[in-house]
């Protein structure tokens, strides 16, 4: 049963639809950073940034839950560098939010 929910969740995380949504969030976040540079006094930036951070933190937490930390941080895994990069970026965002 434990493997069943992991398999189901992994199917969602690996789906084209989910990957597309995350990619669009990453691109949108970059656009927002650009706008934030041009219009730094807009009051909505904090809410928008927090929303992106929630999305990215949730995606990371789901991947950690599915893969388990042992596999997620396995240096032999093909995605190790991306996993580590993703973890560092989200951690920096979380630290900045504190």
């Amino acid at each position: 049963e434990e493997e069943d929910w992991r398999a189901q969740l992994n199917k969602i995380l690996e789906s084209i639809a989910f990957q597309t949504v995350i990619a669009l969030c990453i691109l949108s976040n970059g656009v927002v950073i650009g706008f934030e540079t041009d219009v730094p006094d807009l009051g909505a930036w904090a809410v928008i940034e927090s929303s992106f951070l929630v999305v990215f933190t949730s995606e990371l937490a789901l991947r950690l839950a599915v893969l388990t930390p042992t596999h997620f941080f396995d240096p032999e895994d093909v995605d190790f560098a991306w996993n580590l990069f993703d973890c560092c970026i989200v951690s920096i965002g979380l630290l900045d939010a504190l």
Side-chain angles (χ1 to χ4, degrees), residues 1-74:
E1 186 175 304
E2 182 174 323
E3 294 303 316
D4 188 42
W5 72 265
R6 279 198 170 107
Q8 293 283 56
L9 190 51
N10 191 48
K11 195 182 231 184
I12 293 168
L13 292 174
E14 295 295 324
S15 71
I16 296 296
F18 187 84
Q19 294 293 321
T20 301
V21 168
I22 295 299
L24 288 173
C25 285
I26 293 168
L27 290 172
S28 298
N29 191 34
V31 169
V32 164
I33 289 169
F35 283 140
E36 194 173 8
T37 302
D38 289 340
V39 189
D41 298 327
L42 186 66
W45 292 135
V47 173
I48 294 169
E49 285 180 10
S50 294
S51 299
F52 281 119
L53 186 57
V54 167
V55 170
F56 298 140
T57 302
S58 299
E59 189 255 350
L60 179 63
L62 290 172
R63 286 195 300 122
L64 271 166
V66 166
L67 297 174
T68 71
T70 303
H71 181 73
F72 188 86
F73 293 110
D74 179 4

